[in-house]
Amino acid sequence: MSESTNHPPIARSWAEPYKIKMVELLHMTTRDQRERAITEAGFNTFLLPSKDIYIDLLTDSGTSAMSDRQWAGMMLGDEAYAGSRNFFHLEEAVRQAYGYRHIIPTHQGRGAEHLLSQLCIHSGDVVPGNMYFTTTKHHQELAGGRFADVIIDEAHDSQSDHPFKGNIDLDKLSRLINEVGADKIPYLSLETNVNMAGGQPCSLENIRATCDLCHQHSIAVFLDATRAVENAFFIKQRERGCENLSIPDILSQICACTDGCTMSAKKDSLVNIGGFLALNDDELADKARNLVVVYEGLHTYGGMAGRDMEALAIGIGESVQEDHIRARIGQVEYLGEKLINAGVPVVRPIGGHGVFIDAARFLPELPREQFPAQALAAALYVESGVRAMERGAVSAGRDTETGKNIFPALELVRLTIPRRVYTQAHMDVVIESILQLHSEPERIVGVEMTYEPKYLRFFQARFNPVVGDVVLRGSATPEYMTAAPTSR
Ligand code: PM9
């Protein structure tokens, strides 16, 4: 803008880089229906039938809208048991975007985690990582290992504005190597855009320094590349010297210093199912190709249909397009900024795949033993039909040695945004629903666990409100949220 005019700068908005060709109708429910549904679901949003959900922010996993090109690719599925041509397309797409030599498809991310853990971890081993992820840690423990958190301290503080809260603390890592010995550390698991920290990225500088340190001690580094494209976008935005690099360039550089990755393709890669293990080491890859036939399927499909591999190959290409990733993260930012501006405590900076409400701050009166994040997620559903997910003590589970509940510093409710699915108007409804609850936190009742499954309890645990039979007292809900479908 010219210096001589007094006009304010003209805003330049991002907009969705696609138009809508087909729609899925949403189902509105009444408050009574939602109260019944959440009670039947044991106050666990994972146990709600999706027919009872209005806006589904449970997860960004497998919930993306595929493009017309991906759907066209589904029709090119080569369902041969062995050597499907779609596998070779997938192999080429992964090599091009991520740069690894060997690709072993799996049905989803945890399939790849299972293979890697079984191949590399021995009883008594320690696997360092930048904050735990539920399935990753579980597979490490099933293989006889122990997870050690070496993320920087700022990651555990929801209000720290550190631009790369996913970074590894190199001092913590060095201390761990000295303490347990490099021979007890089969690999370091490096998660991009750390999920449990709020979708927080690692810097390229830190990734390189971590790989250097590990490799000096002959420790391999395997990336959890599930949200590496989103991480690449933050590097471009925030890391000095990277602003002019392209997203594919940054992604290649992230992967280049690592030894391989596990991947849940259900996130960044814009598909509803799929994953892979990628490796550079020939011998390890041979072992993985052998093990995959035991648990997933032949090494040229690994649990995926040919058509799904084709959609994934196309999705990988679309995922690294700059327009796509800018709008994807822009939408999450839109939701997050509005909540911050209204005084709602959320994890800062806003992450890549969702906005994480700090439930301990939102409900300061509720003790951690009453699982504030679980209670808040249930209350949000009753309030508005918006489904979110607990990411706090219920997700953290129990200490394998003491059997006691783990209470992580972060007690969060995750509002996870599916890719290419919802509009800005949906985000506005979510914001209004949360503001309603935030204005009357005393209406929200804590919960106690009444059923605790043995593994990954957050998926199937059941709860009761600690007082009475409702998790949300009173009814200040705006009319439009409780009425029949015609009301808006
Ligand atoms: N993430 C998520 O909603 C789905 C399952 S847990 C609710 O965030 C990372 C960083 C993930 C992840 C899944 C997996 C496992 C590995 N790493 O779900 O098996 O966020 O494809 O991937 C979920 P799969």
Side-chain angles (χ1 to χ4, degrees):
M1 194 186 77
S2 149
E3 295 267 320
S4 59
T5 65
N6 288 325
H7 299 302
I10 296 168
R12 295 284 172 185
S13 301
W14 59 268
E16 290 80 0
Y18 49 83
K19 55 185 179 174
I20 295 165
K21 195 181 296 224
M22 185 162 73
V23 297
E24 177 180 338
L25 299 185
L26 295 178
H27 183 224
M28 305 275 280
T29 48
T30 64
R31 188 191 164 100
D32 278 353
Q33 287 170 334
R34 295 194 293 273
E35 276 186 359
R36 234 174 297 126
I38 198 73
T39 306
E40 279 166 22
F43 299 87
N44 184 347
T45 53
F46 273 102
L47 301 179
L48 286 166
S50 96
K51 71 173 177 51
D52 292 333
I53 309 296
Y54 174 31
I55 299 175
D56 202 348
L57 306 187
L58 183 74
T59 179
D60 63 329
S61 181
T63 52
S64 293
M66 292 208 298
S67 68
D68 48 0
R69 290 175 63 251
Q70 286 177 289
W71 279 108
M74 296 285 279
M75 297 306 292
L76 302 176
D78 169 4
E79 307 305 343
Y81 187 91
S84 158
R85 67 175 71 91
N86 311 117
F87 166 73
F88 298 105
H89 293 166
L90 173 60
E91 190 178 50
E92 195 183 315
V94 176
R95 281 186 182 149
Q96 195 174 342
Y98 294 85
Y100 300 113
R101 286 154 48 83
H102 303 283
I103 318 303
I104 294 108
T106 57
H107 73 286
Q108 58 183 81
R110 69 199 72 180
E113 291 171 344
H114 178 214
L115 298 179
L116 184 68
S117 303
Q118 292 296 324
L119 286 170
C120 298
I121 300 174
H122 298 102
S123 181
D125 280 352
V126 178
V127 187
N130 45 349
M131 201 171 271
Y132 84 103
F133 185 70
T134 51
T135 57
T136 320
K137 179 172 170 235
H138 192 67
H139 278 297
Q140 292 164 357
E141 289 172 351
L142 284 178
R146 171 171 72 80
F147 164 79
D149 190 6
V150 291
I151 201 166
I152 58 171
D153 287 344
E154 287 86 343
H156 297 281
D157 173 4
S158 70
Q159 300 308 294
S160 161
D161 275 319
H162 194 295
F164 292 106
K165 285 166 99 173
N167 279 355
I168 297 278
D169 182 328
L170 297 172
D171 291 334
K172 282 187 198 170
L173 178 58
S174 291
R175 278 200 301 277
L176 183 77
I177 296 171
N178 288 337
E179 249 169 58
V180 304
D183 58 330
K184 284 276 164 215
I185 304 180
Y187 62 89
L188 176 138
S189 174
L190 183 61
E191 187 185 334
T192 41
N193 252 31
V194 180
N195 192 349
M196 301 302 280
Q200 302 293 327
C202 312
S203 70
L204 201 47
E205 187 186 9
N206 184 262
I207 293 171
R208 287 189 179 131
T210 300
C211 291
D212 283 350
L213 179 60
C214 285
H215 291 156
Q216 279 162 26
H217 293 272
S218 303
I219 297 169
V221 178
F222 292 111
L223 209 62
D224 180 337
T226 296
R227 296 182 181 87
V229 180
E230 290 173 0
N231 197 128
F233 183 79
F234 284 128
I235 288 175
K236 184 176 170 72
Q237 261 192 340
R238 299 178 188 170
E239 191 160 347
R240 191 173 303 156
C242 297
E243 46 285 269
N244 295 321
L245 299 177
S246 70
I247 296 297
D249 234 19
I250 299 173
L251 183 61
S252 307
Q253 293 193 38
I254 290 174
C255 300
C257 60
T258 66
D259 301 280
C261 77
T262 54
M263 176 74 181
S264 169
K266 300 169 72 175
K267 283 79 165 175
D268 267 356
S269 308
L270 300 164
V271 287
N272 305 123
I273 194 70
F276 54 84
L277 174 64
L279 299 165
N280 283 337
D281 184 88
D282 297 343
E283 204 181 314
L284 189 58
D286 275 344
K287 286 184 186 164
R289 271 191 283 265
N290 188 213
L291 196 60
V292 76
V293 300
V294 180
Y295 293 108
E296 304 274 328
L298 192 69
H299 59 278
T300 55
Y301 74 86
M304 295 178 74
R307 54 183 172 270
D308 291 325
M309 291 191 284
E310 191 64 28
L312 173 52
I314 297 168
I316 288 171
E318 292 180 1
S319 74
V320 295
Q321 287 172 9
E322 199 115 1
D323 283 353
H324 158 71
I325 194 69
R326 187 185 314 111
R328 189 283 184 282
I329 290 184
Q331 187 178 44
V332 178
E333 209 168 48
Y334 174 85
L335 172 63
E337 291 298 334
K338 291 243 169 175
L339 290 175
I340 288 179
N341 291 341
V344 178
V346 300
V347 174
R348 307 164 66 119
I350 303 303
H353 64 302
V355 176
F356 291 63
I357 301 174
D358 185 334
R361 284 170 189 261
F362 197 102
L363 300 172
E365 304 301 323
L366 286 195
R368 292 293 299 274
E369 291 73 18
Q370 291 185 16
F371 304 117
Q374 190 75 33
L376 179 55
L380 177 62
Y381 170 70
V382 174
E383 176 73 16
S384 59
V386 173
R387 171 155 71 171
M389 183 199 291
E390 190 269 3
R391 294 275 76 165
V394 180
S395 295
R398 290 179 184 273
D399 186 299
T400 43
E401 274 161 30
T402 65
K404 292 199 168 135
N405 275 322
I406 299 169
F407 290 103
L410 298 175
E411 174 73 10
L412 309 174
V413 171
R414 189 180 73 174
L415 304 162
T416 342
I417 315 300
R419 294 164 185 80
R420 309 195 290 206
V421 171
Y422 292 113
T423 65
Q424 210 151 309
H426 290 112
M427 297 301 114
D428 288 336
V429 171
V430 173
I431 292 160
E432 291 163 16
S433 315
I434 291 164
L435 294 189
Q436 182 75 51
L437 293 176
H438 192 234
S439 66
E440 310 165 282
E442 65 285 351
R443 290 172 58 217
I444 299 170
V445 174
V447 293
E448 61 191 355
M449 205 181 300
T450 54
Y451 167 65
E452 179 174 355
K454 187 169 168 198
Y455 304 119
L456 299 171
R457 66 185 186 179
F458 60 94
F459 282 126
Q460 292 149 333
R462 301 183 72 84
F463 302 82
N464 268 342
V466 288
V467 193
D469 56 3
V470 293
V471 79
L472 184 62
R473 294 195 195 100
S475 178
T477 311
E479 182 59 21
Y480 70 82
M481 286 180 185
T482 57
T486 51
S487 64
R488 273 211 113 187

